[in-house]
Amino acid sequence: MSEKSKLELSRWDYATYLGYAGYASGSVIIPMVLVAISGELGLDLASGGALHFIRSGVMIFSMLLSGWAAGNFGKKRTLGSAMLLIAAGLLMCSMASGYLLLAMAIILIGLGNGFFESLATGFTQDLHADTAPARYINITHSFWPLGILLTVMGAGVFLEYGGQWRVLVMITAFLLLVPGVLFLYHSGGRNTGSTRKFDFRTATAPLKNPRFLIFLTALFLAGGSEHCFTFWLPSLIELELAGNGILCGTGVALFAAGMFAGRLASGIFNRIKPAVMISSCAVFCAAVSLAIPQITSKYTLMCILPLLGIATGPLWPNLQYFCSSTLKEYDPTTLYILMPLFGIPGCGFFTWLLGLIGGYTGLRNGFYIVFLCNLLIAVLVLISEMISKLIDRKENSINMDIK
């Protein structure tokens, strides 16, 4: 391995890796114990669904504030504080005795989730702006599915052997303190920790660019495709393929493992242009997802889930990097803040749409939504590349006329 191909990692990289894993763990642990929480606190399913709605709304609110927070306090301090907010929310949840305290805990978790989601990618870009940021961004994002995988497996075993949900949530909270301390300890110095005045007009300027809207749409679709799998796979296995709880967890774990492998591989072996990477993964995922409505065996589904995870994993981080490397006239951090603001709602919209279609035609048929999302992503990437070539030709023509 040559010097240029070696990964140059600092403490901040490891803090971001642990932060992504913790962010994922904090996001998935509450849904995993929601049945136990509802039973102990006397909540119904509607109340449980409202908690997810509260988290999503607060998350979007904090994402809107993240540019101001980074500008006034620095990214390192904001990311560290985000980890502590999630940890505090989980700790409060573990001690909740009623719905009000539980809702307050979810608000803290949502605030931390939003700040971290908006700033972590830009932080990694800043750390490695002079090398190959795409590979580091992919590796960093691979710790999201890894966090889901470890949490699903670890929490499943813990609960299966009689562990209490409050203890499990409390353990998760204390684990999140580690990346929080790593970010906050000696967080001064370097441009990644510096502050600068937040300018609303500059921050919203990309929204007036039609090319940026193409990337926003693509990320909206990518979020929907990914979340359709993570949200609906257990129901698909249980309702359509007569699987048990263990098999449902295994299905999510296999998909998450595939996502981890896809993102890690696209980071370590980063030799493919982002446009080619994205379009290839999208087309492959679209093709494989077409098999889901025809599958009648749960074991056949288990075999293709890692493949779907491998194809889905690189889409979200590579779309963000592709956008920042294409629209170089804008600050990358601004783009990384704005894009998830549209990607996160895509997760909820397509999850709802798949459930709506599945309610009328069967859950398996609802996965045609995944096929459509990925096909449109490939088309949007192709359109973006065509526009880039037209702009390059126009600039070359102007330069020739000047000469």
Side-chain angles (χ1 to χ4, degrees):
M1 183 179 286
S2 65
E3 286 296 319
K4 290 185 177 180
S5 63
K6 288 183 178 179
L7 293 172
E8 299 178 0
L9 303 177
S10 67
R11 186 187 95 193
W12 307 114
D13 288 291
Y14 296 117
T16 312
Y17 295 164
L18 292 174
Y20 252 112
Y23 165 38
S25 183
S27 299
V28 78
I29 195 66
I30 300 300
M32 285 198 68
V33 299
L34 188 57
V35 173
I37 292 175
S38 300
E40 185 172 325
L41 301 184
L43 307 178
D44 55 19
L45 291 178
S47 299
L51 291 175
H52 179 72
F53 180 79
I54 291 171
R55 173 185 169 272
S56 299
V58 173
M59 187 174 175
I60 291 174
F61 173 74
S62 65
M63 290 168 76
L64 290 170
L65 290 178
S66 59
W68 171 85
N72 284 275
F73 307 110
K75 292 176 189 170
K76 294 173 185 175
R77 293 188 181 95
T78 306
L79 288 169
S81 299
M83 290 290 101
L84 297 187
L85 280 170
I86 300 172
L90 290 172
L91 194 60
M92 185 181 292
C93 178
S94 71
M95 297 183 290
S97 57
Y99 190 78
L100 180 60
L101 195 60
L102 191 60
M104 292 174 62
I106 295 299
I107 289 173
L108 290 178
I109 293 171
L111 285 171
N113 286 168
F115 285 128
F116 193 86
E117 177 64 50
S118 293
L119 298 176
T121 305
F123 180 68
T124 302
Q125 168 97 12
D126 290 347
L127 286 174
H128 304 285
D130 298 329
T131 51
R135 66 192 309 220
Y136 291 95
I137 288 172
N138 272 281
I139 293 171
T140 299
H141 277 259
S142 72
F143 281 80
W144 162 265
L146 180 63
I148 292 178
L149 174 64
L150 295 177
T151 304
V152 168
M153 295 178 65
V157 171
F158 184 85
L159 294 172
E160 182 69 22
Y161 284 91
Q164 296 297 312
W165 70 267
R166 292 182 184 274
V167 176
L168 179 62
V169 174
M170 190 177 295
I171 291 172
T172 307
F174 283 117
L175 289 176
L176 265 78
L177 294 176
V178 177
V181 170
L182 283 175
F183 275 120
L184 292 173
Y185 183 69
H186 286 180
S187 58
R190 291 198 62 174
N191 63 334
T192 52
S194 62
T195 59
R196 61 183 178 183
K197 188 177 179 180
F198 177 73
D199 181 19
F200 179 80
R201 185 174 298 177
T202 302
T204 57
L207 294 173
K208 301 175 183 178
N209 189 325
R211 297 185 70 195
F212 183 58
L213 299 182
I214 292 175
F215 288 110
L216 288 181
T217 305
L219 199 72
F220 181 79
L221 294 164
S225 173
E226 179 180 322
H227 210 64
C228 280
F229 284 119
T230 56
F231 189 91
W232 285 114
L233 274 177
S235 298
L236 174 71
I237 295 168
E238 185 174 358
L239 298 177
E240 299 277 345
L241 302 175
N244 55 25
I246 294 176
L247 209 58
C248 290
T250 301
V252 175
L254 287 172
F255 179 76
M259 283 187 64
F260 170 69
R263 288 181 179 177
L264 190 64
S266 62
I268 294 176
F269 308 108
N270 187 253
R271 298 291 185 273
I272 304 174
K273 292 182 178 180
V276 177
M277 169 72 74
I278 296 165
S279 56
S280 299
C281 288
V283 170
F284 181 77
C285 187
V288 178
S289 65
L290 277 177
I292 294 179
Q294 281 72 48
I295 289 176
T296 58
S297 168
K298 46 185 172 285
Y299 301 109
T300 303
L301 179 64
M302 295 294 146
C303 291
I304 70 169
L305 285 178
L307 298 177
L308 288 166
I310 289 171
T312 302
L315 294 178
W316 183 279
N318 278 287
L319 276 168
Q320 292 191 70
Y321 175 73
F322 186 34
C323 176
S324 69
S325 62
T326 301
L327 305 179
K328 295 180 180 180
E329 62 269 33
Y330 302 110
D331 173 45
T333 297
T334 299
L335 300 178
Y336 289 136
I337 290 173
L338 289 174
M339 289 193 75
L341 277 169
F342 288 79
I344 296 296
C347 298
F349 174 76
F350 286 105
T351 298
W352 166 80
L353 185 60
L354 192 153
L356 180 67
I357 295 173
Y360 285 101
T361 65
L363 199 54
R364 274 184 292 189
N365 291 326
F367 277 86
Y368 282 121
I369 288 293
V370 175
F371 165 77
L372 184 61
C373 284
N374 283 278
L375 194 63
L376 289 175
I377 290 171
V379 171
L380 289 171
V381 169
L382 178 62
I383 292 173
S384 176
E385 282 294 274
M386 291 173 63
I387 293 174
S388 293
K389 290 181 179 180
L390 288 173
I391 291 175
D392 289 342
R393 287 178 184 174
K394 185 176 181 180
E395 290 178 349
N396 290 336
S397 177
I398 293 172
N399 292 334
M400 290 295 292
D401 291 340
I402 293 174
K403 290 180 180 179

